[in-house]
Every structure is written in structure tokens, then in C-alpha cells.
Amino acid sequence: MAKNENIRLNMLGLPIIQSIDDFSQITHLSKYTLHQLSVRSDFHYKKFTIKKKSGGTRTICQPSKNLKGLQAWVLVNILNKLKVSDSCKGFEKGSSTADNARPHINANCMLTIDLSDFFGTITDIQVYNVFKSIGYNKLISTMLTNICTCDNSLPQGSPCSPKLANLITWKLDKRIQGFVGKRGITYTRYADDLSFSGLHPANTVQILPVVKSIIEDEGFRINLKKTRVAGASRAKRITGLIVSNNRFGLGTKKYKTVRSKIYHLTKPSEQKNTTLLNEVTGWISYLNSVDKPRFRKVLKYVEELKKKHPKTLVDKITIANTVPHVKQSSQPLRVSEPTTS
């Protein structure tokens, strides 16, 4: 059996780990440390709550430095080498909200569904099944599961949780795609946001009962308060972007907000507001990844303001991955919508 497991791991390009000695050697951690981070992993988290924009609170489980380092190793060396479903557009290397919006261009109707307590719904048994199915034995699968879970579910705060959630929802994505694809409906999922679009509004809305049944059968719950249908007369919003005919982007209202924030950098009262400067830089990078036409407009607007208001904070705006004459920034390109102040 071990030989067959090794063959499977080799085919997937995964590290062969059959014992705690193997695990220790490959991670350069002592067997004692690995044992403590696995058996007593729940004690290596700092837990706190934050307020959600939609109301209520969310529990964050922040792993200790040592546990997070081991989780990062598991993510890079094991989880990131595994493929997710084609419908999955979030939390994957190189992906952004733009990849989630692009397939829905030109739709006449859009249905969006939000899953409640996405990470918390996924159990340690499901995580164990992921590691066991790719070829790890019971001992190593159990250790990896303990390292990646907290209180018997996926913790919000672990670097492994998004990828594990995407792997575990592979069956959910396949079942939904199999149902809606035959009906001419486009389906994508960005974390806990499920989006459906089609040319015929009636057909798009009619899929909801069966989709709901599939979601519940896979152990997830729908947040009915966030279920939304947008027809031809309503803005089709998907993961913070507005989808219309032939394009998608930030939307006029939010774009005006970004311009306003940029202009505030020219005011005397804002010349020490580095928080606003960082926020503006984040928004511009976000535009670069999801809305090229408005990104080019912002570049032009920034250059105009620099000429009109020299020696202000607007002069310090640096923009990555743009035209040559613009200063380059060392900040990485953001792939999710920046927070607003």
C-alpha cells in the first residue's frame, strides 16, 4: 500500500512523508516541535472577533509564528500543487476578482449567492480526506489535518484555509456546473460568493431551488439575506465589480470616490496623512488589475494634479506595473478590493 501511495504522491509532485521522522527531516523541525504543533495546535492560536460590514462579528484565529510558518510550508509544498475546479476563481495564485467577473460579461441576468460561515462549515474530517486522498497515510494525514484546523474546522486566519476550502468545494463546483451548464448558465465561485448569469432571466432564476439543494447536500448553508437577482434594469455586481455589456469594472460611483480620495492628497490639511496615501496607492493598483480604462484615466488625472499641486502628497503616489514614465512602487499588486476609510 505504501508503494502505491508513494507513486500517487510522485505523480502529483508532492513530498513523500511516511513517518514523523520524514516530516522532521523535510521541514527541518524537530519531532517534538511537530508533535506539539499537531497534537496541541488549538493552543497555538490567538482568537479575537472583528465586526463585519454586513453586521455581526467574525472570529479570527491567528496562528502563532511557529504554527503559521509550518502552515505556510504545507501550503507551498503540498496544497498549492493541487488543482481546483475550473469554476473556482478566488484565492488562487495569479487570480483576481477580474477573473471572476470576466465570464459574466454580456449577461442579461445575474444571480449571486453567499454561503454562511464558509470556513467554519468545513470540518476536520473533510480536511483529513483531502490529505488521505492524495496519498498520505493515516498518521501524516492526521498530523497535517491537525496543523491546518482549529476547533475541528478551518480557521479564518490560517494561510492554508482558503486553498483547502477551494479543494473541498471541488465536488460542489462540479455538481453545480454540471446542472447549470446544460441550461446555458455561466457559473463561477469566488470563495463563498457564487455567481450565475445567463441571457434569459427566467432560466437563470429557475435554477435557484436545485442549486440550493446541491449546496445543502454538500453541507453548506445559503445566506438568504445576500441572495440577489439582477435583471436588465439593475446593476450586475459581482465581487465588488459592475458587469455590463462588453466590459466590467469598478463602477461610476466607486470610481468617483477614488478620484475624490486622490484629490484630497492635494489639500494642506492632508499633507501628513500617509494612511490616505497608502489607501490611494492600493486603489490605483486595484484599478490596474480590474479596470484598465479607468486605470488609464486615473494615471492622467494624477499627472494633472501633480502639475497643478506640486510638493503635495499627490507627488508621492507611486504606481506599479504601469507606463515607463511613472515611478515604480515596490508594493505588490492587489487582487482584492481595498478597504475604504
Side-chain angles (χ1 to χ4, degrees):
M1 181 64 73
K3 185 176 180 180
N4 291 335
E5 290 171 345
N6 289 348
I7 292 173
R8 192 182 311 164
L9 292 171
N10 268 323
M11 290 177 66
L12 294 171
L14 302 176
I16 296 174
I17 310 171
Q18 293 182 329
S19 65
I20 192 168
D21 290 287
D22 293 341
F23 205 0
S24 174
Q25 185 175 5
I26 200 168
T27 60
H28 304 290
L29 295 174
S30 69
K31 290 189 288 184
Y32 175 79
T33 298
L34 287 172
H35 183 268
Q36 289 297 307
L37 293 177
S38 173
V39 175
R40 298 177 60 83
S41 60
D42 286 359
F43 295 94
H44 287 266
Y45 287 94
K46 178 183 178 181
K47 301 175 185 177
F48 56 93
T49 58
I50 60 173
K51 292 183 179 180
K52 296 193 292 186
K53 291 181 180 180
S54 57
T57 59
R58 176 181 288 112
T59 300
I60 303 298
C61 300
Q62 181 180 334
S64 67
K65 182 179 179 180
N66 287 341
L67 180 58
K68 188 173 183 179
L70 183 53
Q71 289 171 342
W73 184 93
V74 173
L75 177 66
V76 171
N77 293 279
I78 298 176
L79 299 177
N80 275 349
K81 295 182 179 180
L82 304 175
K83 190 179 183 301
V84 300
S85 76
D86 293 335
S87 302
C88 175
K89 305 298 180 182
F91 297 140
E92 290 301 301
K93 187 176 181 180
S95 69
S96 72
T97 52
D99 298 301
N100 193 43
R102 191 172 290 109
H104 300 280
I105 291 175
N106 292 325
N108 289 330
C109 180
M110 179 168 290
L111 167 67
T112 52
I113 295 174
D114 179 83
L115 301 181
S116 297
D117 191 20
F118 185 47
F119 287 168
T121 303
I122 296 174
T123 67
D124 52 355
I125 296 174
Q126 290 173 295
V127 174
Y128 173 86
N129 288 336
V130 169
F131 291 117
K132 194 70 174 66
S133 67
I134 59 179
Y136 288 109
N137 61 33
K138 290 182 179 180
L139 171 64
I140 301 304
S141 293
T142 299
M143 291 188 69
L144 290 169
T145 298
N146 290 342
I147 289 164
C148 295
T149 60
C150 178
D151 296 330
N152 304 317
S153 63
L154 282 184
Q156 182 129 0
S158 163
C160 292
S161 292
K163 181 69 179 194
L164 279 167
N166 282 343
L167 292 168
I168 289 164
T169 47
W170 183 89
K171 185 180 176 184
L172 171 72
D173 290 339
K174 288 295 183 180
R175 289 183 66 184
I176 290 177
Q177 181 58 49
F179 171 69
V180 304
K182 298 174 183 177
R183 290 157 179 79
I185 305 296
T186 299
Y187 164 63
T188 61
R189 180 180 57 79
Y190 193 97
D192 56 356
D193 292 318
L194 283 61
S195 302
F196 306 84
S197 65
L199 297 176
H200 305 290
N203 292 348
T204 306
V205 175
Q206 285 173 0
I207 66 170
L208 183 55
V210 175
V211 168
K212 181 175 181 292
S213 177
I214 293 173
I215 289 171
E216 292 175 349
D217 188 54
E218 290 296 323
F220 296 96
R221 302 188 307 275
I222 290 179
N223 184 345
L224 295 176
K225 293 181 180 179
K226 291 188 177 181
T227 299
R228 185 173 183 266
V229 177
S233 61
R234 293 185 65 182
K236 300 173 187 65
R237 184 178 296 276
I238 174 172
T239 48
L241 300 176
I242 304 297
V243 177
S244 59
N245 291 335
N246 302 318
R247 70 179 301 266
F248 61 86
L250 196 64
T252 302
K253 184 177 179 181
K254 193 160 286 188
Y255 174 66
K256 288 181 178 179
T257 300
V258 174
R259 277 180 58 106
S260 176
K261 289 178 183 292
I262 295 172
Y263 181 75
H264 268 74
L265 292 176
T266 67
K267 294 188 174 183
S269 60
E270 300 288 356
Q271 294 315 298
K272 293 183 179 181
N273 194 346
T274 55
T275 299
L276 179 59
L277 175 62
N278 290 334
E279 185 184 339
V280 164
T281 302
W283 274 111
I284 293 174
S285 293
Y286 180 63
L287 272 173
N288 188 18
S289 67
V290 302
D291 195 335
K292 295 293 185 183
R294 288 194 172 101
F295 171 69
R296 288 190 287 270
K297 287 183 180 179
V298 159
L299 288 186
K300 185 177 179 181
Y301 182 59
V302 168
E303 292 303 317
E304 290 173 355
L305 289 180
K306 285 182 177 182
K307 292 176 182 178
K308 293 180 181 178
H309 304 276
K311 298 181 180 180
T312 62
L313 269 188
V314 75
D315 266 336
K316 297 184 179 298
I317 293 178
T318 55
I319 305 167
N321 301 321
T322 64
V323 291
H325 74 278
V326 180
K327 293 180 182 179
Q328 297 295 302
S329 168
S330 60
Q331 291 186 338
L333 183 67
R334 300 193 181 198
V335 297
S336 59
E337 182 178 322
T339 55
T340 56
S341 59

